[in-house]
Amino acid sequence: MDLDHAVQAARTAYATARPQSAGWADRARRVLPGGNTRSVLQFDPFPFRVERAQGRLLFDIDGYEYLDLLGNYTAGLLGHSPEPVFAAVRAALGRGWSLGSVHSDEVRLAELIVDRFPSIDQVRFTNSGTEANLMALAVATHHTGRSKIVVFENGYHGGVITFGSGPNPVNVPHDWLILPYNDGAAFEAAMDKHGDQVAAVLVEPMQGSGGCIPGDPDFLAVLRSASTQHGSVLIFDEVMTSRLSVGGAQKQLGITPDMTTLGKYLAGGLSFGAFGGRDDLMAAFDPRRGGTLGHAGTFNNNVASMAGGVAALTEVLTADVLNATNHRGNDLRNRLNAVFANHQMPMCVTGVGSLMNIHGIVGPVDSANDLAGADDRLKELLFFHLLAAGIYTARRGFIALSIEITDEDVDRVIAEVESFCMP
């Protein structure tokens, strides 16, 4: 097969079938650079434009219906418009929505999060995971009086803290020390050399945007022990992985970081971020305990996100619901890998639980280096094949299941991937 020709044909067929989305894309480009205000949503020739969403489905302006396997890049864990969250937000808005004051739901949500995550004694809210990571780094540099921040190749901690194939001009100007992921020996060597200058070690227990590459438990344990040895603050970015259990990846691993950052789904699908950790670290924001740090944000405690979060954690996201969704994700990933292997298709799927990523390479994939030589054209062809069948994933191969996805949906996806792999 001529893959270049096949990709172009798939793009043309997609565009021809969606004239309304094409028109809106042209209109958007005139006033929005690139035609969007969220870069990850862009793909060639243009993204379809959603008209409405319900449950596990999306409906676009050209009349197509899609099974949503993307879940808004993990923020849509609860599906679209879950009723308990909708009711709580509606009631909160009925009492006023721009208060300029403290209110009760922020306390309720903070209590729920502190109870949920082993590393969090106290928590503060933001509007995104990006903000949460920025504030956690501020705590670490303030607490230690140091400047270096250890991060990892292929890591992503928000729009201004991202480490892909090279330097990113939009990154905030911390003194970054970028190390290979899943390489405990390289980390220990770097800490032996620079440890007395390292304020924080910022790591995803599974690299999410980097391709759903799980952190090796032994590697993460080395981060914990060496951070403690050198007096550095270990920060787990659990913006994505917190959904893997009621206590997040840290609970599953039995590794307690000094601080944790959160975001995405925890407000039921509304804008949300949070950072928290040990009591002595978070005391930096408490004037009554001598804290000198400020933390502003007009919408940090906005009534919609706070009420939505309380409803999500008390009425929807029980341990049984999360376990079922992650079990379903493991089943989908294992079955996809079996299909690719049975058809000798040079593709694989990595991830944990309800989070996974398809790659255009046989695997295994333990770090970004293992993706060298991957054929992105295969991923793009599968992406358009699934769209034509009414199944939506990320163009880059990312999948994040919502709690609305069923076993029958998984069977449907497997059947379509089988169809794609047939000669």
Side-chain angles (χ1 to χ4, degrees):
M1 178 192 296
D2 183 338
L3 291 180
D4 290 329
H5 181 269
V7 166
Q8 189 55 53
R11 291 178 180 178
T12 299
Y14 166 88
T16 301
R18 294 167 177 80
Q20 298 297 322
S21 287
W24 273 97
D26 290 341
R27 182 174 170 180
R29 291 187 194 103
R30 289 194 289 269
V31 289
L32 293 163
N36 66 78
T37 190
R38 185 182 178 193
S39 297
V40 75
L41 299 179
Q42 174 60 32
F43 60 84
D44 290 330
F46 53 81
F48 62 87
R49 198 159 295 269
V50 174
E51 182 176 59
R52 63 186 178 91
Q54 184 63 44
R56 67 195 197 286
L57 301 176
L58 297 172
F59 303 86
D60 76 13
I61 61 176
D62 286 286
Y64 295 100
E65 173 187 305
Y66 307 90
L67 174 67
D68 184 6
L69 291 191
L70 177 54
N72 193 11
Y73 293 87
T74 77
L77 175 59
L78 280 74
H80 298 289
S81 303
E83 184 54 39
V85 174
F86 187 35
V89 171
R90 187 169 47 205
L93 293 176
R95 297 188 293 269
W97 58 80
S98 192
L99 306 182
S101 181
V102 296
H103 56 91
S104 300
D105 275 339
E106 65 191 289
V107 180
R108 295 188 181 100
L109 183 55
E111 289 171 340
L112 290 165
I113 287 174
V114 167
D115 287 344
R116 206 170 181 98
F117 297 99
S119 65
I120 299 180
D121 295 329
Q122 291 194 309
V123 66
R124 289 183 73 92
F125 298 123
T126 65
N127 290 277
S128 69
T130 302
E131 292 178 52
N133 280 312
L134 289 170
M135 292 306 302
L137 293 178
V139 172
T141 55
H142 172 77
H143 181 80
T144 62
R146 304 171 181 176
S147 60
K148 283 191 181 298
I149 309 293
V150 171
V151 290
F152 297 91
E153 295 170 356
N154 214 38
Y156 179 85
H157 306 283
V160 294
I161 318 175
T162 177
F163 307 92
S165 58
N168 190 327
V170 303
N171 277 355
V172 292
H174 276 295
D175 183 5
W176 304 111
L177 179 58
I178 307 172
L179 302 177
Y181 191 69
N182 273 337
D183 189 335
F187 174 76
E188 287 184 307
M191 291 297 281
D192 286 343
K193 183 176 180 180
H194 302 287
D196 61 349
Q197 305 167 54
V198 172
V201 178
L202 176 60
V203 67
E204 301 162 271
M206 178 192 74
Q207 290 193 325
S209 295
C212 289
I213 301 174
D216 182 272
D218 291 339
F219 165 71
L220 296 170
V222 167
L223 301 193
R224 175 64 285 175
S225 60
S227 295
T228 300
Q229 176 186 347
H230 292 279
S232 305
V233 177
L234 177 61
I235 305 169
F236 270 15
D237 178 343
E238 291 232 42
V239 170
M240 286 192 176
T241 58
S242 60
R243 60 154 56 199
L244 297 179
S245 78
V246 166
Q250 60 192 260
K251 183 72 170 180
Q252 288 185 322
L253 292 162
I255 299 173
T256 303
D258 302 303
M259 297 191 73
T260 298
T261 57
L262 302 167
K264 303 290 190 183
Y265 70 92
L266 281 162
L270 286 79
S271 59
F272 177 79
F275 64 99
R278 292 193 332 240
D279 183 78
D280 64 306
L281 293 169
M282 298 303 291
F285 297 99
D286 187 349
R288 298 181 65 174
R289 291 189 284 169
T292 58
L293 293 187
H295 172 218
T298 301
F299 297 105
N300 286 350
N301 68 339
N302 76 86
V303 299
S305 294
M306 299 296 101
V310 171
L313 295 185
T314 57
E315 300 184 56
V316 184
L317 292 177
T318 64
D320 287 344
V321 167
L322 281 180
N323 289 341
T325 304
N326 286 304
H327 175 78
R328 189 167 291 115
N330 286 331
D331 179 55
L332 174 59
R333 186 180 66 259
N334 291 335
R335 292 173 67 184
L336 286 172
N337 277 322
V339 169
F340 293 141
N342 290 341
H343 290 277
Q344 297 184 320
M345 182 67 71
M347 303 180 79
C348 71
V349 189
T350 59
V352 179
S354 56
L355 303 175
M356 65 200 78
N357 209 105
I358 300 168
H359 304 286
I361 199 166
V362 173
V365 177
D366 296 314
S367 73
N369 292 334
D370 295 325
L371 294 174
D375 196 331
D376 189 64
R377 296 171 299 177
L378 290 172
K379 286 201 300 183
E380 184 166 2
L381 286 173
L382 178 56
F383 169 72
F384 281 119
H385 178 90
L386 291 175
L387 276 184
I391 298 170
Y392 181 42
T393 63
R395 162 61 184 84
R396 70 184 188 216
F398 181 69
I399 291 172
L401 300 188
S402 77
I403 63 175
E404 298 282 353
I405 299 298
T406 67
D407 292 337
E408 290 74 21
D409 293 329
V410 170
D411 291 340
R412 175 185 168 191
V413 174
I414 293 299
E416 288 299 335
V417 176
E418 284 272 10
S419 172
F420 171 78
C421 294
M422 294 294 286

